[in-house]
C-alpha cells in the first residue's frame, strides 16, 4: 500500500519577514518512515532531527511533549493515509469483493517492492513495542487498526456479505496482510501477497452459498 506523504507548510518569521517552513511536516514524515523501518524504540529524537533537518528549537515548538507527541502525529497521519488508500480501492471496486481483495494485496505488494522491502506497517511495528512503554499510544494504534479494518468490512457488506461474515473476513484479511509484510521483508519477495490473493479467490471473497 503506497502511503503518500503530503508536505504541509507553515509560516514563521525571520528578521521580521514571513518565510515558509515545512519543519513540522518533515519531522512527522521522517518519524513515520523511521518507525516503519526500525521501530519506535530504536528511533531516537537525534536521528529524527538530523534526517528531517529540523532545528531542535523548532522541533519542541511544534512538539512540546517531544517524541510521544510526534508519535501520535505519525500514527494519525499513517492511519489517515491507509484509510484513504483503502477507500480509493473500495471506490474502484464497488460491489466486487474479489477484485477489491486482489487490489489490496497488489497495492501492499507494490509498496513493499518500491521500498526495497524496508517498510513494515507502522502500526504493527509499534504494536509489538508499545504495550510495555505507553498505554495511550497503544490505544491509538489499536484504534487505527479498528478504523481501517472497518473500511474493509464496509466494502464486504456492500458486496452483500452478512454483517458477521463481513467483519470476520475483514479481520482475517488485515491480519494476513500484516503477516505478509513480515514474511515479504524477510524473504525479499512479494510472493506471499500473490499466494494470499489466490487463497482469497477460494475462500474469503467467494460468494456465499
Amino acid at each position: 500500500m503506497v502511503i503518500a506523504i503530503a508536505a504541509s507548510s507553515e509560516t514563521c518569521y525571520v528578521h521580521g519577514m514571513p518565510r515558509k517552513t515545512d519543519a513540522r511536516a518533515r519531522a512527522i514524515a521522517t518519524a513515520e518512515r523511521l518507525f516503519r523501518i526500525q521501530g519506535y524504540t530504536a528511533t531516537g529524537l537525534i536521528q529524527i532531527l538530523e534526517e528531517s533537518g529540523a532545528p531542535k528549537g523548532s522541533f519542541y515548538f511544534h512538539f512540546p511533549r517531544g517524541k510521544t507527541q510526534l508519535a501520535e502525529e505519525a500514527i494519525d497521519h499513517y492511519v489517515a493515509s491507509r484509510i484513504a488508500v483503502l477507500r480509493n480501492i473500495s471506490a474502484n471496486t464497488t460491489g466486487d469483493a474479489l477484485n477489491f481483495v486482489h487490489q489490496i494485496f497488489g497495492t501492499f505488494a507494490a509498496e513493499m517492492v518500491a521500498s526495497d522491502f524496508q517498510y513494515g506497517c507502522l502500526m504493527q511495528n509499534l504494536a509489538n513495542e508499545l504495550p510495555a512503554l505507553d498505554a495511550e499510544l497503544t490505544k491509538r494504534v489499536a484504534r487505527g487498526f479498528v478504523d481501517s479494518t472497518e473500511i474493509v468490512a464496509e466494502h464486504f457488506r456492500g458486496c452483500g456479505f452478512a454483517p458477521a461474515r463481513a467483519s470476520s473476513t475483514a479481520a482475517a484479511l488485515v491480519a494476513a496482510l500484516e503477516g505478509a509484510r513480515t514474511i515479504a521483508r524477510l524473504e525479499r519477495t512479494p510472493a506471499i501477497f500473490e499466494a494470499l490473493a489466490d487463497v482469497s479467490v477460494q475462500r474469503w471473497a467467494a460468494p456465499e452459498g
Side-chain angles (χ1 to χ4, degrees), residues 1 32-33 105 116 125 131 137 139 143 157 168 173:
M1 177 176 60
E32 181 177 330
R33 176 175 57 81
F105 282 122
D116 194 28
N125 287 355
L137 284 180
K139 291 178 183 177
R143 189 164 60 247
R157 290 194 296 271
S168 61
L173 176 60

Side-chain angles (χ1 to χ4, degrees), residues 68-131:
T68 298
Q69 184 175 354
L70 178 59
E72 292 172 356
E73 299 269 5
I75 293 166
D76 290 349
H77 185 272
Y78 180 82
V79 172
S81 298
R82 177 181 173 118
I83 287 175
V85 168
L86 291 173
R87 285 197 182 281
N88 185 58
I89 295 173
S90 180
N92 290 333
T93 57
T94 302
D96 188 340
L98 291 178
N99 195 20
F100 175 64
V101 172
H102 273 283
Q103 285 200 29
I104 289 177
F105 282 122
T107 302
F108 273 64
E111 190 208 23
M112 292 297 296
V113 173
S115 74
D116 194 28
F117 300 97
Q118 293 189 71
Y119 282 176
C121 171
L122 181 145
M123 293 191 297
Q124 181 187 29
N125 287 355
L126 270 57
N128 290 331
E129 299 181 69
L130 288 177

Side-chain angles (χ1 to χ4, degrees), residues 36-76:
R36 296 188 69 185
I37 294 171
Q38 61 193 35
Y40 181 81
T41 305
T43 301
L45 283 181
I46 292 176
Q47 183 182 13
I48 293 171
L49 291 172
E50 289 178 348
E51 296 197 18
S52 69
K56 191 173 184 179
S58 172
F59 177 86
Y60 282 105
F61 172 79
H62 293 301
F63 308 101
R65 291 186 288 110
K67 185 179 177 181
T68 298
Q69 184 175 354
L70 178 59
E72 292 172 356
E73 299 269 5
I75 293 166
D76 290 349

Side-chain angles (χ1 to χ4, degrees), residues 96-99 101-102 105 156 159 161-162 164-166 168-170 172-173 176 194-209:
D96 188 340
L98 291 178
N99 195 20
V101 172
H102 273 283
F105 282 122
F156 286 138
C159 294
F161 285 33
R165 185 189 177 207
S168 61
T169 303
L173 176 60
E194 297 166 9
L196 287 170
D198 290 340
V199 169
S200 74
V201 173
Q202 304 171 37
R203 285 181 170 273
W204 295 337
E208 292 190 272

Side-chain angles (χ1 to χ4, degrees), residues 140-207:
R140 212 179 198 91
V141 170
R143 189 164 60 247
F145 273 118
V146 170
D147 291 347
S148 55
T149 302
E150 173 56 24
I151 303 303
V152 180
E154 181 182 283
H155 184 90
F156 286 138
R157 290 194 296 271
C159 294
F161 285 33
R165 185 189 177 207
S167 295
S168 61
T169 303
L173 176 60
V174 169
L177 286 167
E178 298 304 328
R181 283 194 207 254
T182 299
I183 294 172
R185 291 182 81 184
L186 290 171
E187 297 182 346
R188 298 185 60 78
T189 171
I192 184 63
F193 292 101
E194 297 166 9
L196 287 170
D198 290 340
V199 169
S200 74
V201 173
Q202 304 171 37
R203 285 181 170 273
W204 295 337

